[in-house]
Amino acid sequence: MMSQDAPRDPTQVPTQKPAPPSPAAFSPEELARRRASSRRLAWLLGAVALGIYLVGLLFKR
Amino acid sequence: MSTATTAGRDARPPAHGGRYRGGILRWLTTTNHKDIGTMYLTFALLMFFVGGAMILAVRAELFQPGLQLMKPEFFNQLIGVHALVMIFAALMPAATGFANWQLPLMIGAPDMALPRINNWGFWLLPPAALLLTLPFFLALFGIGDGAVATGWTLYAPLSVQGGIGVDFAIFAIHLLGVSSILGSINIIVTLFNLRAPGMTMMKLPLFAWGWLMTAFLLIATIPVLAGAVTMLLTDRHFGTHFFDAAGGGDPILFQHLFWFFGHPEVYILLLPLWGLVPHVVATFSRKPIYGYKAQVVSFIAIGVLSVIVWAHHFFTAGMPVPALLYFMYSTMSISLPLAVLFFCWIATMWRGAITFETPMLFALGFIVLFGVAGLTGLVLADVAADAQYHHSYFVVAHFHYALFAGGIMGVMAGVYYWLPKWTGHMFSEKLGKLHFWLTVVSFNLTFMPQFFLGLAGMPRRIPDYALQFAEFNAISTVGSFILGLSQLIFAYNIWRCVKGGEKAADKVWEGAEGLEWELSSPPPHHSWEIRPNFDNR
């Protein structure tokens, strides 16, 4: 939390230390694995949406 | 707490895969979440003014009793297209623009999980908006009889008998639906798979939780709407009789199918903003968000309840008494999780060091005026009271308190909150405050009289009315023009901010918390190329 009693100045640029060296957010392998997992889940969700649409249309009225 | 890289600030955006396209090609082919978010937000603002211009023409007609400016058919077209444009082409794209811009920044992801689908989701929108509005122009050349004139609900049998405007609307809704489903899939998989290491689901920002529920609701309900309008299309052109009583069909079936989508749609529009408002309130109260878990549970409860209450929209169509009671009580039960949200928002402010910058003003306006929508919604949920208020201006006032005060003012709070982060420049606080006060006063001037009109019995969707309603209608029209014109200040303030101005700090607001404030303002073209440190949160 920021200090609660400090006056707010939205235009004031806080002084920041240079960014420390840091590893990539995800390694290329990890990112590829997550993207593949995302594609599988996307197909599943798409199939659910299409299923709701088709069941609605084919349902005997 | 880590400090993110600022590399890439002010630099020409590098391309995915090493290819850089400039000019219009950049926007057509972009897969960058910020570019796509910018397109969504720009498109939403444009369509906000298109939909607003339509309704100003309607209010001008209603300034006095009698027919002054337009034929009743054209009046009906303006009302129907206004609603479709505002809901599908302004409010939903605005929330999707927020999601595109903010979710990767807030959860520490490099981009959305499915960037190409993201691009496609956006580019389905302009043709859909064109389909909605094109029949107006075709009618000028003697083609067809104008746009869809059934109201946004497309109720059968009127829509079965309507002109080509209905067909255009049906195709537009299919396109908009596909766009929404693609966007929803992308948001769900991004939130599930691309969260920064250490960010568990119960550490997700509330804005992300609000969007997660919205995305699930869209996937569950948009196909039902698509099915209903496909059946409407086959009724119109392929000899089926799903909704035609003369052929053994049931027009009430359309109402069930439409509102199975239509009621959750209200929460689809509002849940992302209910997720956004706690961030704004906490920032300007300089306190942590109160009741995080309670708010998450409330989002889930509201999402579930929203799909089981649809028939309160047509109590007067007739249904068995047990069904009336079920839908009345289930509708009223939504007020419980909603009350939890209101309590948490107020508790967040309690004893906070509150300051009233423009985003906070809009958030407060949202809370107070959306409260009016909630209370009048309880009145409409009552079966006996609804028999009088149904299809009256009371309903019009109620849903504008929900969707303008709760929706558009929430969007404005979000735009003012994040605009300095997106552009790297501060907007004019003076203009922002002027915009807020003109908006909140003129909004009430426009819609508060409509409650009284509805209570007095003025029906909605009519171009002419009895003399007894003249004064309140005149006040409402004056208010609507002030409201419409004051939005030009909003557009000007955004334009000024995009063009330049005071440099914004990386952490724009002193009390702001969250990963997005650790990136530079504006953020680098590729977000989070380094690992955000989330372990100590």
Side-chain angles (χ1 to χ4, degrees):
Chain A
M1 273 301 294
M2 294 296 295
S3 159
Q4 296 202 358
D5 50 4
R8 197 203 128 270
D9 181 359
T11 61
Q12 188 184 359
V13 181
T15 51
Q16 291 183 334
K17 291 177 183 172
S22 185
F26 299 107
S27 67
E29 299 77 30
E30 174 69 3
L31 196 57
R33 191 187 66 76
R34 285 171 181 258
R35 287 203 187 282
S37 167
S38 298
R39 279 195 295 275
R40 283 194 298 275
L41 183 56
W43 277 112
L44 177 67
L45 291 168
V48 168
L50 188 64
I52 295 171
Y53 175 74
L54 290 177
V55 166
L57 279 182
L58 300 176
F59 192 76
K60 188 176 179 186
R61 295 174 198 285
Chain B
M1 190 180 282
S2 73
T3 305
T5 178
T6 54
R9 182 199 287 213
D10 300 331
R12 189 183 192 207
H16 287 130
R19 290 171 297 154
Y20 176 77
R21 294 190 174 100
I24 187 71
L25 266 183
R26 169 186 169 186
W27 298 102
L28 282 171
T29 60
T30 182
T31 51
N32 183 281
H33 73 100
K34 299 183 203 74
D35 282 353
I36 294 172
T38 301
M39 291 196 294
Y40 268 110
L41 289 165
T42 308
F43 177 78
L45 185 64
L46 180 69
M47 296 313 289
F48 175 56
F49 281 104
V50 170
M54 288 178 192
I55 211 61
L56 285 185
V58 165
R59 281 309 325 169
E61 173 59 50
L62 290 169
F63 183 65
Q64 285 183 324
L67 296 177
Q68 270 81 232
L69 302 172
M70 60 187 78
K71 292 179 179 172
E73 295 80 7
F74 187 60
F75 180 93
N76 286 341
Q77 292 168 23
L78 284 177
I79 283 187
V81 179
H82 158 76
L84 287 166
V85 163
M86 284 302 202
I87 291 169
F88 288 106
L91 208 39
M92 283 175 75
T96 314
F98 283 168
N100 265 288
W101 249 105
Q102 287 302 127
L103 287 180
L105 304 187
M106 293 173 104
I107 66 169
D111 203 312
M112 298 297 277
L114 308 166
R116 291 185 185 88
I117 281 184
N118 207 12
N119 173 290
W120 195 29
F122 171 77
W123 281 111
L124 286 173
L125 284 182
L130 191 66
L131 281 175
L132 277 178
T133 49
L134 192 62
F136 282 125
F137 302 103
L138 292 179
L140 296 176
F141 299 101
I143 303 170
D145 48 5
V148 57
T150 61
W152 84 290
T153 51
L154 300 166
Y155 272 1
L158 185 59
S159 53
V160 178
Q161 299 155 359
I164 62 163
V166 178
D167 295 319
F168 276 78
I170 287 171
F171 286 115
I173 287 171
H174 278 112
L175 282 182
L176 292 163
V178 172
S179 166
S180 294
I181 287 175
L182 293 179
S184 301
I185 290 173
N186 208 358
I187 284 166
I188 290 171
V189 299
T190 301
L191 292 178
F192 279 179
N193 286 330
L194 287 188
R195 299 190 309 278
M199 180 177 272
T200 60
M201 288 301 282
M202 288 314 285
K203 287 181 179 174
L204 268 186
L206 279 174
F207 175 68
W209 264 109
W211 243 115
L212 192 62
M213 282 313 298
T214 284
F216 277 117
L217 283 176
L218 277 166
I219 288 175
T221 61
I222 285 272
V224 178
L225 175 71
V229 294
T230 303
M231 288 151 68
L232 188 59
L233 189 73
T234 60
D235 268 13
R236 286 171 57 79
H237 297 295
F238 300 103
T240 59
H241 298 279
F242 291 117
F243 308 125
D244 182 3
D250 182 4
I252 303 295
L253 171 65
F254 184 85
Q255 299 190 24
H256 280 284
L257 292 173
F258 180 84
W259 285 112
F260 184 80
F261 152 81
H263 191 74
E265 172 69 8
V266 177
Y267 299 98
I268 285 165
L269 295 168
L270 295 179
L271 272 166
L273 305 169
W274 293 343
L276 153 72
V277 162
H279 293 288
V280 178
V281 168
T283 294
F284 295 100
S285 302
R286 291 162 182 78
K287 281 180 61 191
I289 288 172
Y290 181 90
Y292 171 89
K293 284 181 185 168
Q295 293 191 63
V296 170
V297 171
S298 296
F299 288 167
I300 296 169
I302 289 169
V304 171
L305 287 170
S306 74
V307 290
I308 59 169
V309 300
W310 71 91
H312 66 239
H313 288 274
F314 49 97
F315 279 148
T316 55
M319 62 186 84
V321 170
L324 287 174
L325 292 175
Y326 162 73
F327 282 112
M328 177 171 75
Y329 292 132
S330 58
T331 301
M332 288 179 170
S333 69
I334 295 186
S335 60
L336 297 175
L338 205 49
V340 171
L341 293 182
F342 272 89
F343 176 80
C344 290
W345 299 338
I346 294 167
T348 300
M349 286 184 274
W350 182 253
R351 295 189 170 178
I354 302 176
T355 50
F356 296 97
E357 286 82 0
T358 306
M360 182 63 164
L361 286 176
F362 273 100
L364 290 174
F366 168 100
I367 292 170
V368 172
L369 297 176
F370 183 69
V372 176
L375 293 173
T376 52
L378 276 175
V379 175
L380 289 168
D382 184 294
V383 174
D386 185 66
Q388 179 184 342
Y389 304 142
H390 182 79
H391 207 74
S392 77
Y393 260 84
F394 191 90
V395 181
V396 177
H398 157 73
F399 69 70
H400 279 91
Y401 271 83
L403 294 183
F404 190 97
I408 290 175
M409 284 179 69
V411 168
M412 285 164 180
V415 169
Y416 282 118
Y417 186 55
W418 284 319
L419 191 62
K421 169 57 65 183
W422 299 337
T423 62
H425 302 121
M426 295 306 295
F427 56 84
S428 161
E429 265 292 322
K430 194 187 279 184
L431 285 177
K433 284 178 174 158
L434 178 67
H435 172 223
F436 169 76
W437 285 112
L438 281 172
T439 297
V440 79
V441 171
S442 60
F443 169 80
N444 283 293
L445 202 61
T446 306
F447 293 106
M448 191 61 82
Q450 295 183 8
F451 281 124
F452 303 127
L453 287 168
L455 288 170
M458 180 170 165
R460 58 191 288 206
R461 293 179 178 146
I462 53 161
D464 189 10
Y465 50 84
L467 273 177
Q468 72 195 74
F469 303 130
E471 285 82 5
F472 278 138
N473 268 296
I475 294 169
S476 184
T477 296
V478 170
S480 70
F481 273 82
I482 300 172
L483 181 61
L485 292 174
S486 61
Q487 302 319 307
L488 296 174
I489 299 171
F490 180 49
Y492 174 67
N493 210 359
I494 293 173
W495 181 77
R496 252 179 62 131
C497 186
V498 170
K499 298 300 279 183
E502 278 180 76
K503 205 83 183 144
D506 293 349
K507 185 170 183 171
V508 178
W509 311 107
E510 177 229 339
E513 289 289 323
L515 284 182
E516 73 268 36
W517 306 107
E518 295 177 19
L519 289 167
S520 59
S521 298
H525 192 65
H526 288 297
S527 315
W528 296 118
E529 287 183 321
I530 61 161
R531 180 191 293 257
N533 183 352
F534 206 78
D535 297 335
N536 57 350
R537 287 169 192 263

